[in-house]
Amino acid sequence: MTCLYPGTFDPITNGHLDVIKRALKIFDQVIVAIAKSEHKKPCYSLDKRKELSLLATQNLANIKIITFDNLLVDLAKELKINTIIRGLRAVSDFEYELQIGYANHALWEEIETIYLMPNLKNAFISSSIVRSIVAYGGDVSSLVPKEILPFLKDEACM
């Protein structure tokens, strides 16, 4: 069984990897679906986010990295996958994620969303926090996969 793990991954963090590893305990394959999300004004290009995600997951089996620029439900239908994985860090995430889950279900009744919590040490990590720290020259080595560190420092975009 395969699931979709969508997001902007701007950039991918240890929290994202934690959720991916947890999903692999439940599913045979995890497809990390990187959204173009121009309305969010991502720091890194779609191609760069894909490249960083490929680097970060290169040692994990049964992971596929794709990009998309349409409704998540349409992507899920196209791939014939009816399970979405989402990470929840805090109560504040829950309300937003619940609304998105309900909206997706309204668009396609067969879609299911499973919410996974990262390990406590990764619970506070967000891509926006990583970008802010990188922009000021801070050390994010404990927040992101070591494989992508050089790229973040070379291409700080804040």
Side-chain angles (χ1 to χ4, degrees), residues 41-89:
K41 297 182 175 126
C43 171
Y44 300 98
S45 72
L46 186 60
D47 288 339
K48 179 56 71 175
R49 289 182 278 141
K50 181 177 181 180
E51 178 186 344
L52 295 176
S53 296
L54 285 166
L55 284 170
T57 60
Q58 66 188 341
N59 295 321
L60 296 175
N62 303 320
I63 300 293
K64 184 176 180 182
I65 309 290
I66 64 171
T67 61
F68 72 104
D69 186 21
N70 57 337
L71 285 174
L72 178 59
V73 168
D74 292 340
L75 175 67
K77 286 179 182 178
E78 176 185 321
L79 298 174
K80 297 179 176 46
I81 298 171
N82 71 339
T83 307
I84 296 170
I85 296 294
R86 296 295 294 163
L88 292 178
R89 295 172 301 209

Side-chain angles (χ1 to χ4, degrees), residues 44-151:
Y44 300 98
S45 72
L46 186 60
D47 288 339
K48 179 56 71 175
R49 289 182 278 141
K50 181 177 181 180
E51 178 186 344
L52 295 176
S53 296
L54 285 166
L55 284 170
T57 60
Q58 66 188 341
N59 295 321
L60 296 175
N62 303 320
I63 300 293
K64 184 176 180 182
I65 309 290
I66 64 171
T67 61
F68 72 104
D69 186 21
N70 57 337
L71 285 174
L72 178 59
V73 168
D74 292 340
L75 175 67
K77 286 179 182 178
E78 176 185 321
L79 298 174
K80 297 179 176 46
I81 298 171
N82 71 339
T83 307
I84 296 170
I85 296 294
R86 296 295 294 163
L88 292 178
R89 295 172 301 209
V91 174
S92 57
D93 288 345
F94 182 74
E95 186 175 351
Y96 172 77
E97 292 295 344
L98 191 64
Q99 289 174 347
I100 298 298
Y102 285 147
N104 286 333
H105 190 75
L107 293 171
W108 187 32
E109 286 188 6
E110 292 183 37
I111 200 85
E112 295 292 342
T113 304
I114 296 176
Y115 303 97
L116 298 174
M117 297 183 327
N119 184 297
L120 190 55
K121 73 178 183 177
N122 295 316
F124 74 95
I125 302 172
S126 71
S127 295
S128 56
I129 287 173
V130 168
R131 290 191 310 270
S132 294
I133 294 170
V134 167
Y136 290 100
D139 179 12
V140 293
S141 60
S142 65
L143 308 179
V144 299
K146 66 182 180 313
E147 296 85 357
I148 73 167
L149 268 175
F151 299 95

Side-chain angles (χ1 to χ4, degrees), residues 1-4 18-31 61-63 82-87 112-117:
M1 196 161 154
T2 301
C3 69
L4 275 175
D18 192 345
V19 170
I20 291 168
K21 289 174 184 174
R22 288 171 188 273
L24 283 170
K25 292 178 182 178
I26 303 167
F27 295 91
D28 299 320
Q29 181 182 41
V30 175
I31 298 179
N62 303 320
I63 300 293
N82 71 339
T83 307
I84 296 170
I85 296 294
R86 296 295 294 163
E112 295 292 342
T113 304
I114 296 176
Y115 303 97
L116 298 174
M117 297 183 327

